[in-house]
Amino acid sequence: MSATPGVEGRVVVVTGGTRGVGAGIARAFLRAGAEVAVCARRPPDEPVAAGGRSARYLPADLRDPEAAEAVLARVVECHGRIDTLVNNAGGTPFRPLDEAPASRHARVLELNLLVPLTVSLAAHRIMREQPDGGSIVMIGSVSGTRPSPGTAAYGAAKAGLEHLARTMAVEWAPAVRVNTLVAGMVRTESAALHYGDGQGVAAVARTVPAGRLAEPDEAAVFLASDRAAYITGAALLVHGGGERPAFLAAADVNHRPSEELT
């Protein structure tokens, strides 16, 4: 186990932490020496574990404010405090805007924006009374920084989440730090569902300047640690350099303009 300053022995709650990116983040905190609780509607297929220790699973539908309050209260009952909340729960199906009524898109907005707001409010009421305060990490997405065809409501929610985090950081300072980890494409156990087989995943990875997909645990532990004690209201892009502009592939690579473009 590799302890991280300001994380070892801390109490961390990861929403949606039973699979995918959330489970990867939970395992990273376990390896760093934290006590971790994960909450989701469905239990994990197998315990979320790393470094010889396991995360505590707490079932909850976080769209219910009372359920969110109850989950955090159980964590405090067991551990006496909550040092970090990672708002990871979210997601969306692929759905063009005109192929579903507004009510279906509203459910995506609820899960990806209102749920983090609800859980953060509950966590803040706990953290503000603690001598060392606490930190909140929002798991954002590059979908909130660019057009997001097929997942428009998700992209809009993630854009709103980043703005929400910046405002929380101002209103809740200095007791509670709030930051957003803006994730690009991430390698998880379900990557094949999005990118195809191993060759498909490798082909997608080659489109990233860094030459690979992100790992689920990159940067979240840092934002919660003492190393980031002065970082709040920030949005940390973790996307391997982003996406190569599509026009470059379409352009004639042998063409050189005679005059500099402005």
Side-chain angles (χ1 to χ4, degrees):
M1 179 175 63
S2 176
T4 300
V7 173
E8 186 176 16
R10 295 291 179 92
V11 179
V12 179
V13 177
V14 183
T15 69
T18 58
R19 52 186 47 84
V21 173
I25 291 171
R27 287 191 288 267
F29 276 104
L30 287 168
R31 287 193 294 270
E35 300 293 330
V36 181
V38 297
C39 53
R41 286 177 292 173
R42 293 183 295 158
D45 297 329
E46 57 185 35
V48 179
R53 298 182 306 119
S54 298
R56 177 187 179 94
Y57 168 64
L58 299 173
D61 183 346
L62 297 174
R63 291 172 296 185
D64 177 0
E66 292 185 359
E69 294 271 4
V71 163
L72 298 188
R74 288 182 64 187
V75 175
V76 173
E77 182 181 350
C78 293
H79 299 284
R81 66 187 193 278
I82 297 174
D83 298 299
T84 296
L85 166 66
V86 180
N87 274 310
N88 167 79
T92 183
F94 182 86
R95 182 183 294 131
L97 280 170
D98 62 357
E99 293 185 6
S103 59
R104 297 292 295 276
H105 297 299
R107 294 187 65 182
V108 175
L109 290 168
E110 177 188 28
L111 177 61
N112 292 280
L113 181 56
L114 297 185
V115 165
L117 171 60
T118 297
V119 184
S120 294
L121 285 167
H124 176 251
R125 286 190 283 272
I126 295 167
M127 292 176 176
R128 68 187 179 188
E129 303 299 329
Q130 299 175 164
D132 296 327
S135 70
I136 296 173
V137 179
M138 305 291 198
I139 303 302
S141 170
V142 293
S143 294
T145 68
R146 54 157 171 73
S148 188
T151 56
Y154 175 80
K158 291 300 187 180
L161 186 65
E162 183 178 329
H163 186 277
L164 178 66
R166 288 176 177 166
T167 302
M168 285 178 173
V170 173
E171 291 195 6
W172 296 351
V176 179
R177 295 188 301 109
V178 188
N179 293 291
T180 305
L181 191 164
V182 183
M185 294 180 289
V186 181
R187 182 188 298 276
T188 69
E189 65 269 21
S190 61
L193 296 177
H194 302 285
Y195 311 127
D197 58 13
Q199 289 185 336
V201 172
V204 171
R206 287 194 293 271
T207 70
V208 180
R212 65 176 178 86
L213 303 185
E215 297 299 326
D217 57 355
E218 297 190 81
V221 173
F222 164 72
L223 287 175
S225 74
D226 284 351
R227 294 175 181 173
Y230 195 63
I231 300 176
T232 191
L236 178 60
L237 285 162
V238 183
H239 59 10
E243 301 175 7
R244 182 177 173 83
F247 76 85
L248 291 178
D252 179 0
V253 295
N254 296 316
H255 174 68
R256 297 290 183 269
S258 59
E259 295 181 2
E260 182 179 356
L261 296 178
T262 59

